[in-house]
Amino acid sequence: MTAFSEAAGKGEGYDLAAARVEDEPQSPAEGGDGAQGPAEGGAEEGGGEGPTLGAALEAILLVVDEPVAEVVLAQVLERPTHEVATALRTLAAEYTASGRGFDLREVAGGWRFYTRADCAQLVERFVRDGQQSRLTQAALETLAVVAYRQPVSRARVAAVRGVNSDGVMRTLVARGLVEEAGTDPESQAVLYRTSSYFLERLGLRDLSELPELAPFLPDDVENLEETTK
């Protein structure tokens, strides 16, 4: 007997919604204690079909170099603009509430991550110290070899210096002073050359303005040349 027939026989009032719930099986999303709807801002669970809206927005905004408009984000994610706008504001509020070192700001008609204002001195110190740090003697020697022998392989640099220079070369590449310049046709070793940033830092227009090397070479340079080949 259904809830409807029971209620009719007793002459009691009837709740259509309650009868539907009793007569029809409940899905996991309906009924049951602790069931929750989608999170505010459209950052609902992906159900195994992909990232949430919030996660997708974070991923995109981490790689942009300028503010991105809500309508552009909505087009990329194929979601309504109002959902994207709500999700962005929800994320921004979450970052602020949790005291993160960065925040999400709406600037110049778009959204972008920025470091938080109260961390400015630390960020400034990190950037300033990194720019003022000097090259080690080993790095200067390696840079000189590359500058005057380019394009040159790591093995060739090591032969000239008489010591393994792989770590120093990685440092010079990371600093933008040295860059890859193809491979050696015979050995297939990667070749390196100085970069345009190297010329900029030394105030040179091109490599022809490098100082003459002869005055700094030892007297037995010819024998040294033969031993390093």
Side-chain angles (χ1 to χ4, degrees):
M1 181 180 295
T2 66
F4 175 76
S5 60
E6 291 178 353
K10 296 178 182 179
E12 297 175 351
Y14 178 68
D15 188 340
L16 287 174
R20 184 184 62 82
V21 172
E22 291 179 7
D23 291 345
E24 297 178 5
Q26 295 180 347
S27 65
E30 299 174 350
D33 295 335
Q36 298 179 356
E40 183 180 357
E44 70 277 359
E45 294 298 327
E49 299 180 356
T52 63
L53 177 56
L57 289 170
E58 289 175 329
I60 294 174
L61 293 174
L62 277 173
V63 300
V64 302
D65 54 5
E66 60 183 15
V68 183
E70 295 171 357
V71 63
V72 174
L73 293 169
Q75 291 172 351
V76 172
L77 299 174
E78 298 181 342
R79 300 292 289 269
T81 303
H82 69 88
E83 285 188 11
V84 171
T86 302
L88 288 167
R89 287 168 174 77
T90 299
L91 288 173
E94 290 176 356
Y95 300 146
T96 299
S98 60
R100 299 291 184 87
F102 60 91
D103 58 6
L104 183 58
R105 303 179 196 167
E106 186 177 12
V107 178
W111 291 81
R112 184 184 177 188
F113 284 119
Y114 292 87
T115 54
R116 200 167 292 281
D118 54 8
C119 297
Q121 291 184 350
L122 298 175
V123 175
E124 181 181 356
R125 185 190 310 166
F126 172 79
V127 174
R128 183 178 65 248
D129 292 348
Q131 291 179 340
Q132 293 180 349
S133 59
R134 296 178 179 274
L135 292 175
T136 63
Q137 182 64 33
L140 290 172
E141 291 176 2
T142 302
L143 186 58
V145 174
V146 175
Y148 285 96
R149 296 277 187 173
Q150 60 185 306
V152 61
S153 65
R154 291 186 181 185
R156 181 62 172 162
V157 173
V160 173
R161 294 190 62 229
V163 64
N164 186 291
S165 303
D166 289 356
V168 180
M169 287 291 289
R170 285 193 292 269
T171 298
L172 294 175
V173 171
R175 291 202 173 195
L177 296 169
V178 170
E179 62 187 10
E180 293 186 6
T183 58
D184 185 276
E186 297 181 359
S187 65
Q188 299 302 310
V190 177
L191 300 177
Y192 294 88
R193 65 187 177 197
T194 53
S195 64
S196 58
Y197 179 64
F198 166 81
L199 296 175
E200 178 184 338
R201 295 295 292 175
L202 268 67
L204 306 176
R205 288 179 295 181
D206 52 51
L207 294 175
S208 65
E209 293 188 349
L210 282 171
E212 292 293 332
L213 191 58
F216 303 98
L217 295 176
D219 295 335
D220 60 344
V221 62
E222 293 183 359
N223 294 333
L224 178 63
E225 176 70 17
E226 291 298 326
T227 59
T228 58
K229 287 184 178 180

